[in-house]
Amino acid sequence: MSPAGTPKVVVVGGGLAGMAAALACADGGASVTLVEKQARLGGLTWSFDHDGLTMDNGQHVFLRCCSAYLDFLDRTGGAGDVAIQDRLDVTVLRPGPLRAERAVLRRGGARPPLHLARSLLGYQFVPSAQRARLGLAVAALARVDLDDPALDEETFAGWLSRHFQGPQAISELWDLICLPTVNLPAKEASLAMAAKVFQTGLLRESSAADIGWSRVPLGLLHGQKGATALGKAGAQVHLRTNVHAVTSRSAAGGGEGGGNFTVRTSSGDLEADAVIVALPHYCTEDVLPEGALGGRKPSRLTSSPIVNVHVHFDRQVTDLPFAASLGTPAQWVFDRTSASGADRGQYLAVSISAADSYLGSRPDRLGQEVVGALRQLFPRAADAEVLSTFVTKERHATFRAVPGSAAHRAPARTMYPGLLMAGSWTATGWPPTMESAVRSGVVAARGALVSTGQRRWLPPLPEPAKPMSSDKEVS
Protein backbone atom coordinates (compact mmCIF):
# COMPACT_ATOMS: atom_id res chain seq x y z
CA MET A 1 0.00 0.00 0.00
CA SER A 2 1.19 3.52 -0.73
CA PRO A 3 2.78 5.51 2.12
CA ALA A 4 -0.29 7.71 2.34
CA GLY A 5 -2.44 4.66 2.99
CA THR A 6 -4.27 4.91 -0.30
CA PRO A 7 -4.78 1.43 -1.76
CA LYS A 8 -3.53 0.85 -5.30
CA VAL A 9 -5.92 -1.07 -7.53
CA VAL A 10 -5.17 -2.15 -11.08
CA VAL A 11 -8.09 -3.09 -13.32
CA VAL A 12 -7.27 -5.27 -16.33
CA GLY A 13 -9.79 -4.70 -19.14
CA GLY A 14 -11.78 -1.65 -20.18
CA GLY A 15 -15.18 -3.09 -21.06
CA LEU A 16 -18.32 -2.38 -19.04
CA ALA A 17 -17.17 -4.66 -16.20
CA GLY A 18 -13.74 -3.05 -15.99
CA MET A 19 -15.06 0.51 -16.17
CA ALA A 20 -17.71 -0.19 -13.53
CA ALA A 21 -15.08 -1.74 -11.25
CA ALA A 22 -12.59 1.09 -11.77
CA LEU A 23 -15.17 3.80 -11.07
CA ALA A 24 -16.41 2.05 -7.93
CA CYS A 25 -12.85 1.61 -6.64
CA ALA A 26 -12.03 5.25 -7.35
CA ASP A 27 -15.21 6.35 -5.59
CA GLY A 28 -14.09 4.21 -2.64
CA GLY A 29 -10.86 6.16 -2.29
CA ALA A 30 -8.45 3.89 -4.15
CA SER A 31 -5.76 4.96 -6.56
CA VAL A 32 -6.90 3.23 -9.75
CA THR A 33 -5.10 2.30 -12.94
CA LEU A 34 -7.07 0.71 -15.76
CA VAL A 35 -5.23 -1.16 -18.51
CA GLU A 36 -6.85 -1.87 -21.90
CA LYS A 37 -5.24 -3.39 -24.99
CA GLN A 38 -7.53 -1.59 -27.45
CA ALA A 39 -7.26 2.06 -28.42
CA ARG A 40 -10.66 2.68 -26.82
CA LEU A 41 -12.83 1.71 -23.88
CA GLY A 42 -16.17 -0.04 -24.10
CA GLY A 43 -15.23 -3.66 -24.77
CA LEU A 44 -17.76 -5.32 -27.08
CA THR A 45 -19.87 -2.17 -27.31
CA TRP A 46 -18.10 0.09 -29.76
CA SER A 47 -18.76 2.21 -32.84
CA PHE A 48 -17.07 2.92 -36.15
CA ASP A 49 -17.58 5.11 -39.22
CA HIS A 50 -18.59 3.58 -42.56
CA ASP A 51 -19.87 5.33 -45.68
CA GLY A 52 -20.52 8.50 -43.72
CA LEU A 53 -22.51 6.75 -40.99
CA THR A 54 -21.57 6.04 -37.39
CA MET A 55 -22.42 2.39 -36.80
CA ASP A 56 -22.34 0.23 -33.70
CA ASN A 57 -20.62 -3.14 -33.98
CA GLY A 58 -23.85 -4.67 -32.67
CA GLN A 59 -27.13 -3.59 -31.16
CA HIS A 60 -27.30 -3.76 -27.38
CA VAL A 61 -30.60 -3.08 -25.65
CA PHE A 62 -31.48 -3.38 -21.99
CA LEU A 63 -34.56 -3.86 -19.84
CA ARG A 64 -35.99 -1.65 -17.14
CA CYS A 65 -34.96 -4.29 -14.57
CA CYS A 66 -31.26 -3.75 -15.43
CA SER A 67 -30.68 -1.59 -12.36
CA ALA A 68 -26.88 -1.91 -12.19
CA TYR A 69 -26.49 -0.89 -15.82
CA LEU A 70 -28.79 2.10 -15.33
CA ASP A 71 -26.80 3.12 -12.25
CA PHE A 72 -23.64 2.89 -14.38
CA LEU A 73 -25.18 5.27 -16.92
CA ASP A 74 -26.07 7.66 -14.11
CA ARG A 75 -22.47 7.53 -12.91
CA THR A 76 -20.96 8.20 -16.35
CA GLY A 77 -23.44 10.88 -17.41
CA GLY A 78 -25.06 8.72 -20.09
CA ALA A 79 -28.56 8.37 -18.60
CA GLY A 80 -29.94 11.18 -20.73
CA ASP A 81 -28.79 9.46 -23.91
CA VAL A 82 -31.01 6.39 -23.61
CA ALA A 83 -34.72 5.91 -24.13
CA ILE A 84 -37.04 3.38 -22.54
CA GLN A 85 -40.54 2.31 -23.46
CA ASP A 86 -43.56 3.42 -21.45
CA ARG A 87 -44.67 -0.21 -21.62
CA LEU A 88 -43.28 -3.36 -23.17
CA ASP A 89 -44.40 -3.22 -26.80
CA VAL A 90 -42.79 -5.46 -29.42
CA THR A 91 -44.00 -5.83 -32.99
CA VAL A 92 -43.35 -9.32 -34.35
CA LEU A 93 -43.38 -9.86 -38.11
CA ARG A 94 -43.44 -12.98 -40.26
CA PRO A 95 -43.37 -13.12 -44.08
CA GLY A 96 -46.71 -14.03 -45.61
CA PRO A 97 -47.86 -14.98 -49.11
CA LEU A 98 -48.94 -11.40 -49.92
CA ARG A 99 -47.54 -9.27 -47.10
CA ALA A 100 -45.98 -9.74 -43.71
CA GLU A 101 -48.17 -11.01 -40.92
CA ARG A 102 -48.00 -9.03 -37.70
CA ALA A 103 -48.50 -9.66 -34.00
CA VAL A 104 -47.79 -7.51 -30.97
CA LEU A 105 -46.49 -8.48 -27.54
CA ARG A 106 -47.59 -5.73 -25.19
CA ARG A 107 -48.00 -5.66 -21.44
CA GLY A 108 -51.20 -4.54 -19.80
CA GLY A 109 -51.82 -2.88 -16.47
CA ALA A 110 -52.57 -6.03 -14.43
CA ARG A 111 -50.18 -7.59 -11.97
CA PRO A 112 -47.71 -10.23 -13.23
CA PRO A 113 -48.20 -12.63 -14.88
CA LEU A 114 -51.65 -11.43 -15.92
CA HIS A 115 -50.10 -8.32 -17.49
CA LEU A 116 -49.14 -10.52 -20.47
CA ALA A 117 -52.31 -12.61 -20.67
CA ARG A 118 -54.06 -10.67 -23.40
CA SER A 119 -50.99 -10.60 -25.65
CA LEU A 120 -50.28 -14.30 -25.21
CA LEU A 121 -53.87 -15.35 -25.82
CA GLY A 122 -53.95 -13.29 -29.01
CA TYR A 123 -50.49 -14.23 -30.27
CA GLN A 124 -51.44 -15.61 -33.67
CA PHE A 125 -48.07 -17.16 -34.51
CA VAL A 126 -48.70 -19.93 -31.98
CA PRO A 127 -51.60 -22.28 -32.87
CA SER A 128 -54.61 -21.82 -30.64
CA ALA A 129 -54.28 -25.28 -29.08
CA GLN A 130 -50.70 -24.55 -28.02
CA ARG A 131 -51.59 -20.97 -27.08
CA ALA A 132 -54.03 -22.25 -24.48
CA ARG A 133 -51.15 -24.06 -22.75
CA LEU A 134 -48.78 -21.08 -22.57
CA GLY A 135 -50.09 -20.16 -19.15
CA LEU A 136 -49.02 -23.52 -17.74
CA ALA A 137 -45.36 -22.80 -18.51
CA VAL A 138 -45.64 -19.17 -17.39
CA ALA A 139 -47.03 -20.21 -14.00
CA ALA A 140 -44.37 -22.91 -13.60
CA LEU A 141 -41.54 -20.51 -14.52
CA ALA A 142 -42.74 -18.05 -11.90
CA ARG A 143 -42.31 -20.77 -9.24
CA VAL A 144 -38.84 -21.96 -10.29
CA ASP A 145 -36.18 -21.59 -7.60
CA LEU A 146 -33.37 -19.73 -9.34
CA ASP A 147 -30.90 -20.89 -6.68
CA ASP A 148 -31.49 -24.56 -7.49
CA PRO A 149 -28.29 -25.90 -9.13
CA ALA A 150 -30.35 -28.55 -10.93
CA LEU A 151 -31.61 -25.83 -13.29
CA ASP A 152 -28.21 -25.87 -14.98
CA GLU A 153 -28.54 -29.55 -15.78
CA GLU A 154 -31.14 -29.35 -18.55
CA THR A 155 -32.06 -27.22 -21.53
CA PHE A 156 -34.84 -24.69 -21.55
CA ALA A 157 -36.54 -26.50 -24.44
CA GLY A 158 -36.50 -29.79 -22.52
CA TRP A 159 -38.17 -28.10 -19.58
CA LEU A 160 -40.72 -26.39 -21.83
CA SER A 161 -41.62 -29.69 -23.47
CA ARG A 162 -42.22 -31.20 -20.03
CA HIS A 163 -44.56 -28.29 -19.35
CA PHE A 164 -46.75 -28.92 -22.37
CA GLN A 165 -45.16 -26.47 -24.81
CA GLY A 166 -45.27 -27.60 -28.44
CA PRO A 167 -42.60 -27.03 -31.10
CA GLN A 168 -44.26 -23.94 -32.56
CA ALA A 169 -44.72 -22.34 -29.16
CA ILE A 170 -41.01 -22.87 -28.49
CA SER A 171 -39.79 -21.60 -31.86
CA GLU A 172 -42.27 -18.74 -32.36
CA LEU A 173 -42.54 -17.38 -28.82
CA TRP A 174 -40.07 -18.70 -26.28
CA ASP A 175 -37.10 -18.44 -28.67
CA LEU A 176 -38.14 -14.92 -29.56
CA ILE A 177 -37.01 -13.89 -26.07
CA CYS A 178 -34.41 -16.57 -25.31
CA LEU A 179 -32.28 -15.93 -28.41
CA PRO A 180 -31.46 -12.23 -27.83
CA THR A 181 -31.10 -12.51 -24.06
CA VAL A 182 -29.18 -15.78 -23.64
CA ASN A 183 -27.68 -15.76 -27.16
CA LEU A 184 -28.79 -19.36 -27.64
CA PRO A 185 -32.01 -21.03 -28.75
CA ALA A 186 -34.08 -22.83 -26.13
CA LYS A 187 -32.88 -26.23 -27.36
CA GLU A 188 -29.32 -25.31 -26.31
CA ALA A 189 -29.78 -22.78 -23.51
CA SER A 190 -29.40 -23.70 -19.86
CA LEU A 191 -32.72 -23.64 -18.04
CA ALA A 192 -30.99 -21.64 -15.30
CA MET A 193 -30.26 -18.73 -17.63
CA ALA A 194 -33.61 -18.76 -19.40
CA ALA A 195 -35.51 -18.95 -16.12
CA LYS A 196 -33.55 -15.94 -14.84
CA VAL A 197 -34.54 -13.93 -17.93
CA PHE A 198 -38.22 -14.76 -17.70
CA GLN A 199 -38.58 -14.48 -13.93
CA THR A 200 -36.69 -11.23 -13.48
CA GLY A 201 -37.65 -9.64 -16.77
CA LEU A 202 -41.27 -10.67 -17.16
CA LEU A 203 -42.82 -12.34 -14.14
CA ARG A 204 -41.89 -10.35 -11.02
CA GLU A 205 -42.53 -6.71 -11.93
CA SER A 206 -44.90 -5.71 -14.69
CA SER A 207 -42.56 -2.94 -15.89
CA ALA A 208 -39.34 -4.97 -15.69
CA ALA A 209 -39.21 -5.97 -19.38
CA ASP A 210 -39.82 -2.52 -20.85
CA ILE A 211 -37.08 -2.19 -23.47
CA GLY A 212 -34.46 0.54 -23.49
CA TRP A 213 -31.87 1.51 -26.09
CA SER A 214 -29.22 4.11 -26.77
CA ARG A 215 -30.13 7.22 -28.74
CA VAL A 216 -26.45 7.84 -29.51
CA PRO A 217 -23.64 5.62 -30.80
CA LEU A 218 -22.53 3.07 -28.20
CA GLY A 219 -18.94 4.22 -28.55
CA LEU A 220 -20.05 7.57 -27.16
CA LEU A 221 -22.48 6.21 -24.57
CA HIS A 222 -20.01 3.75 -23.05
CA GLY A 223 -16.43 4.29 -24.20
CA GLN A 224 -16.18 8.07 -24.39
CA LYS A 225 -18.43 8.90 -21.46
CA GLY A 226 -16.78 6.17 -19.41
CA ALA A 227 -13.33 7.59 -20.17
CA THR A 228 -14.47 11.07 -19.13
CA ALA A 229 -15.93 9.76 -15.88
CA LEU A 230 -12.75 7.83 -15.09
CA GLY A 231 -10.64 10.91 -15.74
CA LYS A 232 -12.78 13.03 -13.41
CA ALA A 233 -12.52 10.29 -10.76
CA GLY A 234 -8.72 10.49 -10.93
CA ALA A 235 -8.19 7.07 -12.49
CA GLN A 236 -5.27 6.54 -14.87
CA VAL A 237 -6.18 4.81 -18.12
CA HIS A 238 -3.54 3.05 -20.20
CA LEU A 239 -4.79 2.22 -23.69
CA ARG A 240 -3.00 0.10 -26.31
CA THR A 241 -1.39 -1.82 -23.45
CA ASN A 242 -1.30 -5.60 -23.32
CA VAL A 243 -1.26 -7.45 -20.00
CA HIS A 244 1.01 -10.47 -20.04
CA ALA A 245 0.55 -11.78 -16.50
CA VAL A 246 -0.61 -11.01 -12.98
CA THR A 247 1.77 -12.33 -10.34
CA SER A 248 1.51 -12.36 -6.57
CA ARG A 249 4.10 -12.43 -3.83
CA SER A 250 1.70 -14.31 -1.55
CA ALA A 251 0.61 -17.91 -1.81
CA ALA A 252 -2.82 -18.91 -3.05
CA GLY A 253 -5.25 -19.22 -0.17
CA GLY A 254 -3.00 -17.22 2.11
CA GLY A 255 -4.38 -14.86 4.79
CA GLU A 256 -6.30 -11.61 4.70
CA GLY A 257 -5.36 -8.33 3.12
CA GLY A 258 -3.96 -7.25 -0.22
CA GLY A 259 -1.86 -9.63 -2.20
CA ASN A 260 1.06 -7.38 -3.24
CA PHE A 261 0.58 -7.97 -6.93
CA THR A 262 2.59 -7.16 -10.02
CA VAL A 263 0.78 -6.66 -13.30
CA ARG A 264 3.21 -7.24 -16.16
CA THR A 265 2.27 -5.21 -19.22
CA SER A 266 3.74 -4.31 -22.58
CA SER A 267 4.55 -0.88 -21.15
CA GLY A 268 6.18 -2.06 -17.92
CA ASP A 269 5.23 -3.48 -14.55
CA LEU A 270 2.49 -2.07 -12.32
CA GLU A 271 2.47 -2.73 -8.58
CA ALA A 272 -0.88 -3.10 -6.84
CA ASP A 273 -2.49 -3.93 -3.53
CA ALA A 274 -5.44 -5.44 -5.37
CA VAL A 275 -6.11 -6.43 -8.97
CA ILE A 276 -9.40 -6.87 -10.80
CA VAL A 277 -9.18 -8.94 -13.97
CA ALA A 278 -12.10 -8.05 -16.25
CA LEU A 279 -11.22 -9.93 -19.42
CA PRO A 280 -13.34 -12.15 -21.70
CA HIS A 281 -13.78 -15.76 -20.64
CA TYR A 282 -11.59 -17.16 -23.41
CA CYS A 283 -8.41 -15.31 -22.43
CA THR A 284 -8.74 -14.82 -18.67
CA GLU A 285 -6.72 -17.89 -17.69
CA ASP A 286 -3.76 -16.67 -19.76
CA VAL A 287 -2.89 -13.90 -17.30
CA LEU A 288 -3.78 -15.40 -13.91
CA PRO A 289 -1.36 -16.93 -11.42
CA GLU A 290 -1.45 -20.69 -10.98
CA GLY A 291 -4.54 -22.01 -9.19
CA ALA A 292 -6.28 -18.65 -8.97
CA LEU A 293 -9.69 -19.99 -10.00
CA GLY A 294 -9.60 -23.13 -7.89
CA GLY A 295 -10.16 -25.54 -10.75
CA ARG A 296 -12.66 -23.51 -12.76
CA LYS A 297 -11.84 -23.26 -16.45
CA PRO A 298 -13.63 -20.32 -18.10
CA SER A 299 -12.07 -21.28 -21.42
CA ARG A 300 -14.33 -24.36 -21.38
CA LEU A 301 -17.36 -22.10 -21.58
CA THR A 302 -16.67 -21.62 -25.31
CA SER A 303 -18.41 -18.82 -27.23
CA SER A 304 -21.68 -17.99 -28.92
CA PRO A 305 -21.41 -15.48 -31.80
CA ILE A 306 -23.57 -12.56 -32.88
CA VAL A 307 -23.64 -11.27 -36.45
CA ASN A 308 -24.96 -7.84 -37.39
CA VAL A 309 -25.97 -6.68 -40.85
CA HIS A 310 -26.18 -2.94 -41.48
CA VAL A 311 -28.46 -1.81 -44.30
CA HIS A 312 -28.83 1.77 -45.54
CA PHE A 313 -31.92 2.40 -47.70
CA ASP A 314 -32.47 5.52 -49.77
CA ARG A 315 -35.83 6.15 -48.08
CA GLN A 316 -37.73 5.36 -44.90
CA VAL A 317 -39.11 1.83 -45.03
CA THR A 318 -40.55 1.45 -41.52
CA ASP A 319 -41.88 3.67 -38.74
CA LEU A 320 -40.97 1.15 -36.03
CA PRO A 321 -38.01 1.89 -33.72
CA PHE A 322 -37.38 -1.86 -33.64
CA ALA A 323 -39.12 -5.10 -34.51
CA ALA A 324 -38.62 -8.84 -34.26
CA SER A 325 -39.14 -11.30 -37.08
CA LEU A 326 -39.87 -15.01 -37.41
CA GLY A 327 -38.72 -17.25 -40.22
CA THR A 328 -36.04 -14.88 -41.55
CA PRO A 329 -32.41 -14.14 -40.63
CA ALA A 330 -33.49 -10.63 -39.61
CA GLN A 331 -34.17 -11.72 -36.02
CA TRP A 332 -34.26 -8.21 -34.59
CA VAL A 333 -34.27 -5.00 -36.64
CA PHE A 334 -33.38 -1.59 -35.20
CA ASP A 335 -33.80 1.84 -36.74
CA ARG A 336 -30.45 3.54 -36.08
CA THR A 337 -30.88 6.39 -38.58
CA SER A 338 -30.77 9.23 -36.06
CA ALA A 339 -27.94 7.75 -33.98
CA SER A 340 -25.83 7.18 -37.10
CA GLY A 341 -26.01 10.77 -38.30
CA ALA A 342 -27.53 9.76 -41.64
CA ASP A 343 -28.71 12.76 -43.64
CA ARG A 344 -30.83 10.74 -46.07
CA GLY A 345 -32.83 7.53 -46.18
CA GLN A 346 -33.05 5.04 -43.33
CA TYR A 347 -30.34 2.93 -41.74
CA LEU A 348 -31.47 -0.37 -40.21
CA ALA A 349 -29.24 -2.58 -38.08
CA VAL A 350 -30.14 -6.26 -38.03
CA SER A 351 -28.95 -8.40 -35.12
CA ILE A 352 -28.61 -12.19 -35.48
CA SER A 353 -28.02 -14.03 -32.21
CA ALA A 354 -26.53 -17.54 -31.86
CA ALA A 355 -25.20 -16.93 -35.35
CA ASP A 356 -22.88 -19.94 -35.74
CA SER A 357 -24.30 -20.79 -39.16
CA TYR A 358 -23.58 -17.28 -40.45
CA LEU A 359 -19.95 -16.95 -39.41
CA GLY A 360 -18.73 -18.47 -42.66
CA SER A 361 -21.13 -16.53 -44.89
CA ARG A 362 -19.64 -14.10 -47.37
CA PRO A 363 -20.63 -10.56 -46.34
CA ASP A 364 -22.09 -9.70 -49.75
CA ARG A 365 -24.29 -12.80 -49.81
CA LEU A 366 -25.41 -12.35 -46.23
CA GLY A 367 -26.20 -8.72 -46.98
CA GLN A 368 -28.34 -9.75 -49.93
CA GLU A 369 -30.13 -12.37 -47.83
CA VAL A 370 -30.96 -9.86 -45.11
CA VAL A 371 -32.05 -7.20 -47.60
CA GLY A 372 -34.40 -9.79 -49.12
CA ALA A 373 -35.82 -10.49 -45.66
CA LEU A 374 -36.35 -6.78 -44.98
CA ARG A 375 -38.20 -6.40 -48.28
CA GLN A 376 -40.53 -9.22 -47.17
CA LEU A 377 -41.12 -7.65 -43.79
CA PHE A 378 -41.55 -4.00 -44.77
CA PRO A 379 -43.64 -3.28 -47.92
CA ARG A 380 -42.00 0.11 -48.47
CA ALA A 381 -38.61 -1.60 -48.75
CA ALA A 382 -39.69 -3.47 -51.89
CA ASP A 383 -38.88 -0.53 -54.20
CA ALA A 384 -36.26 1.14 -52.02
CA GLU A 385 -32.70 1.38 -53.26
CA VAL A 386 -30.01 -0.08 -51.05
CA LEU A 387 -27.25 2.49 -50.65
CA SER A 388 -24.92 0.15 -48.78
CA THR A 389 -24.70 -2.99 -46.68
CA PHE A 390 -22.04 -3.92 -44.16
CA VAL A 391 -21.54 -6.99 -41.96
CA THR A 392 -19.91 -7.16 -38.54
CA LYS A 393 -19.22 -10.44 -36.77
CA GLU A 394 -18.49 -10.97 -33.09
CA ARG A 395 -17.23 -14.56 -32.85
CA HIS A 396 -16.84 -14.35 -29.06
CA ALA A 397 -19.85 -12.15 -28.36
CA THR A 398 -20.83 -14.09 -25.22
CA PHE A 399 -19.97 -17.27 -23.42
CA ARG A 400 -22.11 -20.26 -24.37
CA ALA A 401 -24.69 -20.59 -21.60
CA VAL A 402 -25.45 -24.29 -22.09
CA PRO A 403 -26.27 -26.77 -19.32
CA GLY A 404 -23.19 -27.30 -17.17
CA SER A 405 -21.73 -23.87 -17.85
CA ALA A 406 -22.29 -22.66 -14.29
CA ALA A 407 -19.42 -24.86 -13.09
CA HIS A 408 -16.91 -22.63 -14.89
CA ARG A 409 -18.38 -19.23 -14.07
CA ALA A 410 -15.95 -17.96 -11.47
CA PRO A 411 -17.04 -15.95 -8.42
CA ALA A 412 -15.54 -12.52 -7.84
CA ARG A 413 -13.05 -13.78 -5.25
CA THR A 414 -10.16 -15.97 -6.31
CA MET A 415 -7.80 -18.15 -4.30
CA TYR A 416 -5.50 -15.12 -3.93
CA PRO A 417 -6.77 -12.48 -1.49
CA GLY A 418 -6.92 -9.18 -3.33
CA LEU A 419 -7.23 -10.75 -6.79
CA LEU A 420 -10.79 -10.39 -8.10
CA MET A 421 -12.64 -11.42 -11.24
CA ALA A 422 -15.20 -9.46 -13.26
CA GLY A 423 -16.99 -9.91 -16.56
CA SER A 424 -20.41 -10.90 -17.83
CA TRP A 425 -19.24 -14.54 -17.82
CA THR A 426 -18.57 -14.62 -14.08
CA ALA A 427 -21.00 -16.05 -11.53
CA THR A 428 -23.47 -13.16 -11.44
CA GLY A 429 -26.56 -15.33 -11.81
CA TRP A 430 -27.43 -13.39 -14.96
CA PRO A 431 -27.02 -14.39 -18.61
CA PRO A 432 -24.15 -12.71 -20.52
CA THR A 433 -25.56 -9.19 -20.79
CA MET A 434 -24.49 -5.61 -20.09
CA GLU A 435 -26.27 -5.90 -16.76
CA SER A 436 -24.22 -8.96 -15.83
CA ALA A 437 -21.01 -7.17 -16.77
CA VAL A 438 -21.71 -4.09 -14.67
CA ARG A 439 -22.91 -6.13 -11.69
CA SER A 440 -19.71 -8.15 -11.76
CA GLY A 441 -17.62 -4.99 -11.77
CA VAL A 442 -19.39 -3.57 -8.71
CA VAL A 443 -19.06 -6.81 -6.76
CA ALA A 444 -15.36 -7.11 -7.67
CA ALA A 445 -14.74 -3.52 -6.58
CA ARG A 446 -16.24 -4.22 -3.17
CA GLY A 447 -13.95 -7.22 -2.80
CA ALA A 448 -10.90 -5.26 -3.88
CA LEU A 449 -11.56 -2.42 -1.43
CA VAL A 450 -12.26 -4.79 1.46
CA SER A 451 -9.06 -6.76 0.73
CA THR A 452 -7.01 -3.59 1.15
CA GLY A 453 -8.68 -2.71 4.44
CA GLN A 454 -10.80 0.12 3.01
CA ARG A 455 -14.29 -0.23 4.46
CA ARG A 456 -15.23 3.42 4.94
CA TRP A 457 -17.26 3.43 1.74
CA LEU A 458 -18.19 0.46 -0.38
CA PRO A 459 -20.29 0.53 -3.55
CA PRO A 460 -23.77 -0.75 -2.76
CA LEU A 461 -24.63 -4.15 -4.13
CA PRO A 462 -26.93 -3.90 -7.17
CA GLU A 463 -30.62 -4.25 -6.44
CA PRO A 464 -32.50 -7.05 -8.23
CA ALA A 465 -34.78 -4.57 -9.99
CA LYS A 466 -35.95 -1.11 -9.12
CA PRO A 467 -39.11 0.71 -10.18
CA MET A 468 -38.67 3.61 -12.54
CA SER A 469 -40.94 6.33 -13.78
CA SER A 470 -42.96 5.68 -16.93
CA ASP A 471 -41.18 8.47 -18.79
CA LYS A 472 -39.75 7.37 -22.10
CA GLU A 473 -36.33 8.77 -21.35
CA VAL A 474 -34.24 7.59 -18.45
CA SER A 475 -32.94 10.53 -16.48
Side-chain angles (χ1 to χ4, degrees):
M1 193 172 295
S2 65
T6 301
K8 292 182 180 179
V9 178
V10 172
V11 178
V12 180
L16 292 178
M19 287 190 291
L23 285 168
C25 286
D27 291 344
S31 173
V32 177
T33 300
L34 185 149
V35 183
E36 166 58 46
K37 72 174 183 178
Q38 302 289 345
R40 53 165 177 78
L41 299 179
L44 288 175
T45 62
W46 53 281
S47 306
F48 59 94
D49 293 331
H50 177 74
D51 280 352
L53 304 181
T54 300
M55 299 178 172
D56 298 326
N57 68 310
Q59 297 313 301
H60 298 262
V61 299
F62 60 93
L63 304 181
R64 197 184 288 271
C65 64
C66 295
S67 56
Y69 174 70
L70 290 168
D71 287 344
F72 173 78
L73 293 182
D74 280 336
R75 178 64 182 82
T76 60
D81 292 318
V82 299
I84 193 166
Q85 295 177 315
D86 289 325
R87 291 177 179 237
L88 173 68
D89 191 335
V90 178
T91 297
V92 186
L93 304 171
R94 185 172 69 181
L98 297 177
R99 60 183 300 146
E101 301 172 277
R102 177 180 296 227
V104 176
L105 291 174
R106 181 184 295 122
R107 72 171 172 92
R111 295 177 62 84
L114 296 179
H115 65 312
L116 299 173
R118 185 173 181 179
S119 277
L120 295 180
L121 289 173
Y123 189 66
Q124 64 183 29
F125 297 139
V126 173
S128 57
Q130 294 186 39
R131 213 181 305 162
R133 298 195 294 266
L134 292 175
L136 298 175
V138 169
L141 269 178
R143 297 192 300 268
V144 164
D145 178 6
L146 295 180
D147 293 325
D148 183 357
L151 298 186
D152 194 50
E153 297 176 2
E154 70 173 313
T155 66
F156 186 37
W159 184 92
L160 288 171
S161 295
R162 289 196 291 106
H163 288 80
F164 312 105
Q165 303 303 291
Q168 285 178 280
I170 293 174
S171 64
E172 310 292 76
L173 177 65
W174 297 105
D175 268 347
L176 186 73
I177 300 168
C178 188
L179 269 170
T181 53
V182 183
N183 197 23
L184 285 176
K187 66 181 180 182
E188 297 182 46
S190 165
L191 170 59
M193 291 295 92
K196 174 62 178 177
V197 168
F198 283 92
Q199 265 202 21
T200 303
L202 288 164
L203 301 177
R204 286 184 176 171
E205 296 287 341
S206 61
S207 64
D210 301 341
I211 297 174
W213 62 92
S214 176
R215 297 188 290 113
V216 300
L218 291 175
L220 169 60
L221 181 69
H222 295 154
Q224 295 180 38
K225 288 184 177 290
T228 298
L230 287 165
K232 289 181 179 179
Q236 296 185 51
V237 177
H238 297 176
L239 300 177
R240 300 185 180 89
T241 303
N242 287 312
V243 171
H244 302 309
V246 177
T247 62
S248 173
R249 290 187 287 276
S250 66
E256 297 292 330
N260 297 316
F261 297 95
T262 299
V263 180
R264 304 195 182 283
T265 82
S266 56
S267 300
D269 292 351
L270 297 171
E271 302 301 320
D273 300 302
V275 175
I276 298 172
V277 175
L279 294 175
H281 64 279
Y282 55 86
C283 61
T284 293
E285 295 167 60
D286 297 341
V287 305
L288 296 177
E290 185 70 25
L293 298 183
R296 288 182 173 83
K297 299 287 186 181
S299 58
R300 293 183 183 175
L301 291 169
T302 67
S303 299
S304 186
I306 295 176
V307 169
N308 292 270
V309 182
H310 311 262
V311 182
H312 188 194
F313 287 105
D314 69 340
R315 69 197 72 175
Q316 186 173 4
V317 300
T318 178
D319 300 321
L320 297 169
F322 59 87
S325 85
L326 302 172
T328 84
Q331 290 175 5
W332 284 80
V333 184
F334 301 88
D335 178 9
R336 299 297 290 164
T337 309
S338 177
S340 72
D343 58 6
R344 62 177 293 206
Q346 186 171 34
Y347 158 44
L348 300 180
V350 174
S351 181
I352 308 173
S353 298
D356 302 80
S357 62
Y358 292 100
L359 285 180
S361 299
R362 284 176 42 182
D364 57 340
R365 291 185 179 177
L366 181 54
Q368 292 172 5
E369 186 177 351
V370 167
V371 168
L374 294 175
R375 295 193 195 280
Q376 290 180 298
L377 299 173
F378 305 116
R380 282 181 280 171
D383 299 323
E385 178 186 350
V386 176
L387 300 178
S388 68
T389 63
F390 192 75
V391 175
T392 53
K393 300 178 180 179
E394 293 290 352
R395 294 178 178 273
H396 301 287
T398 69
F399 77 89
R400 207 167 191 89
V402 296
S405 57
H408 296 293
R409 296 186 73 179
R413 291 186 178 183
T414 70
M415 303 302 291
Y416 290 80
L419 176 61
L420 288 301
M421 305 302 304
S424 64
W425 64 268
T426 59
T428 62
W430 285 67
T433 57
M434 296 189 297
E435 175 71 7
S436 181
V438 174
R439 283 174 175 265
S440 74
V442 173
V443 172
R446 287 176 61 93
L449 292 170
V450 168
S451 75
T452 63
Q454 199 294 87
R455 298 172 181 265
R456 295 185 303 277
W457 181 89
L458 296 175
L461 289 171
E463 296 294 327
K466 61 183 181 182
M468 295 177 60
S469 70
S470 60
D471 295 341
K472 284 186 178 180
E473 295 182 7
V474 180
S475 59

